[in-house]
Every structure is written in C-alpha cells, then in structure tokens.
Amino acid sequence: MPIYRCSAPEGALTGSMKARMAEAITDAHSEETGAPRAFVRVFFHDVPRGDAYISGRLDTESSMIEGSIRAGRTLETKQRLLKRISASWQNITGLSQMHLVAWLTEFDSSNSMEFGLILPHAGEEAEWLAAHPDVVQRAY
C-alpha cells in the first residue's frame, strides 16, 4: 500500500544503509499510521552524477524521499511521519536533512489494488485483513 521511493546520489548509500533505512521507514509508517508493516514497500534509486540539478546547476548532494500513502491521515500524523523519516535519513546515511526533499502524496484507496484486491480505506485495515486472512501469508 504505502510506497516510498528514495533517491540519492550514486554511491552515497551502502546496502546496509538501505536496509536500515527501509526498516526505519517501515517502523515510522506502521507506528504513525497503524497500517500493517507487511504493506510498506521501499524502493531505492541511485541518481547518476550529472542527472540532478537545482536552480539550473549540477546538484551532487540532494536526496529525495517520496511517499505515496492512502488518503485519510491527519496533518499531524503526516508531519510526524515526515519528521521521523527525515531524522532517520540523516542518522542512518550521514547525509544532511538540509539536502533532503521529502513529501507525501495521498491516493484514494478505492482506486488502488494490491494482492489482487481493492485496498481498504485508512483505518479499515483490520476489517480488510479479517475478510482476507490469507493475503499477507500468500504474498510473503
């Protein structure tokens, strides 16, 4: 359900950093929203030198985290989530929050599928899982 796309300069993140960051994002998302951990997906993309610019100039320091989450969370929840992810990024990667752009994009779960099923609305995960008990076991 939630999908996080992390982009950083090529070579800036080790495999261990990526694994720790994926765990931190999963923890933050699950704890702040109540969504099951099994739904959180994290992808990493290396940005080759020469492929990023800011103000029309080459940028070799910036990183991005884009989170696509189901609509229905409070502003406070979303801001706590962003702050936790940003702090984890700096702590785990050593890359400054000053060079991190992070945002959340919300989508209507009625227009989304995972595991071959239409997704539940935020806060309705327990009922959805009860109606489809084999989903997580089958998928993982």
Side-chain angles (χ1 to χ4, degrees):
M1 287 184 204
I3 298 173
Y4 289 88
R5 294 169 202 85
C6 307
S7 301
E10 191 171 42
L13 305 181
T14 65
S16 173
M17 287 176 186
K18 290 176 183 179
R20 290 175 54 212
M21 198 60 218
E23 192 70 25
I25 290 171
T26 300
D27 288 345
H29 186 90
S30 182
E31 291 166 13
E32 295 297 337
T33 69
R37 293 175 58 82
F39 292 165
V40 182
R41 298 174 188 260
V42 181
F43 297 91
F44 291 89
H45 305 280
D46 290 335
V47 179
R49 184 172 177 78
D51 282 2
Y53 290 79
I54 186 168
S55 299
R57 295 189 176 146
L58 183 63
D59 180 6
T60 60
E61 297 180 283
S62 292
S63 299
M64 298 183 327
I65 300 176
E66 174 190 5
S68 297
I69 67 171
R70 289 173 295 144
R73 312 293 184 197
T74 66
L75 177 60
E76 293 79 18
T77 297
K78 292 180 283 190
Q79 289 180 346
R80 278 194 318 270
L81 179 56
L82 284 168
K83 288 175 183 178
R84 282 184 66 178
I85 290 171
S86 182
S88 293
W89 184 261
Q90 181 167 316
N91 292 336
I92 292 169
T93 69
L95 300 173
S96 172
Q97 291 182 64
M98 294 296 295
H99 298 287
L100 175 65
V101 178
W103 70 94
L104 299 172
T105 302
E106 296 178 285
F107 61 89
D108 182 346
S109 59
S110 300
N111 302 329
S112 307
M113 287 185 72
E114 188 168 13
F115 310 118
L117 301 166
I118 299 296
L119 297 177
H121 291 293
E124 296 178 359
E125 296 88 356
E127 296 87 358
W128 188 82
L129 286 170
H132 309 288
D134 63 331
V135 166
V136 175
Q137 292 83 6
R138 194 175 68 226
Y140 301 101

